[in-house]
Amino acid sequence: MEARLDFFGSPLGGKVLRHLNSASKAVSDSTLPAAVQELVKLRASQINGCGFCTDMHSKDAAHAGETQQRLNLVAAWREATVFTDAERAALELAEQATRIADAAGGVTDDAWANAAKHYDDDQLAALISLLAVINAYNRINVINQQPAGDYQPGQFG
C-alpha cells in the first residue's frame, strides 16, 4: 500500500503539518498527564480508523511505559478495570468529541462535567486542543491512505 500523495514531502502539506505539530507541542508541554494524552490520541485514532496514528500512538505509549494490557483495552475502556476515573472521563470526552457529527448535541453536559471534575481549566483546554489536533491528523492520514505499521517510537522527534 502506498499513500495517495507524499503529503509529508509536499510544500503545502509540510507547512500544514508544521502548524499542527506546533499545536501538538503546546499540548504535550501542558500539565495534562502524558498517559492521558496518549490514551486519548489512541482512542480517537481507533474511532477514525486511522491505522497510521493508531500504530504511532500505541507504540509511543508502550515506549513511554504504558502497559500492553491497558493499550489492548482502550477500545473497550468502559468494561475495563484498568483505567482511573480521570482517564475514563478523558476517554468519554474523546469519543464524544471525535463522533461529534454522530450526536445531535456534540459533547454532552454530563461528559463535560465529569471531565471538569478531574481536570483544571488549562488541562481541559489541552484536552480540547488535543482532540482537535488528533482528529485533524487522523483525517489527513485516512484521506491520504497513509500506510501503517512501520512507525518507530520517536520517529518524528
Side-chain angles (χ1 to χ4, degrees):
M1 176 184 232
E2 288 188 29
R4 290 176 165 160
L5 171 74
D6 181 6
F7 196 85
F8 301 101
S10 159
L12 180 63
K15 186 176 183 178
V16 168
L17 289 174
R18 282 191 296 280
H19 287 288
L20 283 175
N21 290 342
S22 292
S24 184
K25 176 83 167 105
V27 172
S28 68
D29 290 345
S30 75
T31 61
L32 185 65
V36 170
Q37 291 184 41
E38 287 301 330
L39 294 173
V40 163
K41 288 185 280 190
L42 179 56
R43 186 64 189 126
S45 299
Q46 290 171 336
I47 292 167
N48 287 323
C50 183
F52 186 85
C53 290
T54 297
D55 181 46
M56 174 191 292
H57 297 298
S58 62
K59 287 176 179 175
D60 281 347
H63 185 73
E66 189 60 73
T67 68
Q68 194 60 53
Q69 180 188 34
R70 283 169 44 95
L71 292 174
N72 291 345
L73 291 171
V74 167
W77 64 267
R78 283 180 181 80
E79 293 81 24
T81 60
V82 297
F83 301 106
T84 67
D85 288 343
E87 290 167 339
R88 290 174 175 286
L91 288 165
E92 178 65 29
L93 193 66
E95 286 192 1
Q96 289 189 20
T98 299
R99 292 184 167 130
I100 204 162
D102 299 340
V107 173
T108 65
D109 290 340
D110 286 345
W112 181 260
N114 192 27
K117 287 190 311 191
H118 300 283
Y119 302 102
D120 64 27
D121 285 352
D122 281 344
Q123 291 170 322
L124 290 168
L127 264 172
I128 292 169
S129 302
L130 175 64
L131 288 162
V133 170
I134 192 59
N135 276 283
Y137 281 127
N138 290 165
R139 280 151 177 76
I140 289 168
N141 289 322
V142 169
I143 293 166
N144 197 39
Q145 294 185 346
Q146 194 65 40
D150 294 331
Y151 177 79
Q152 298 299 314
Q155 178 176 327
F156 297 118

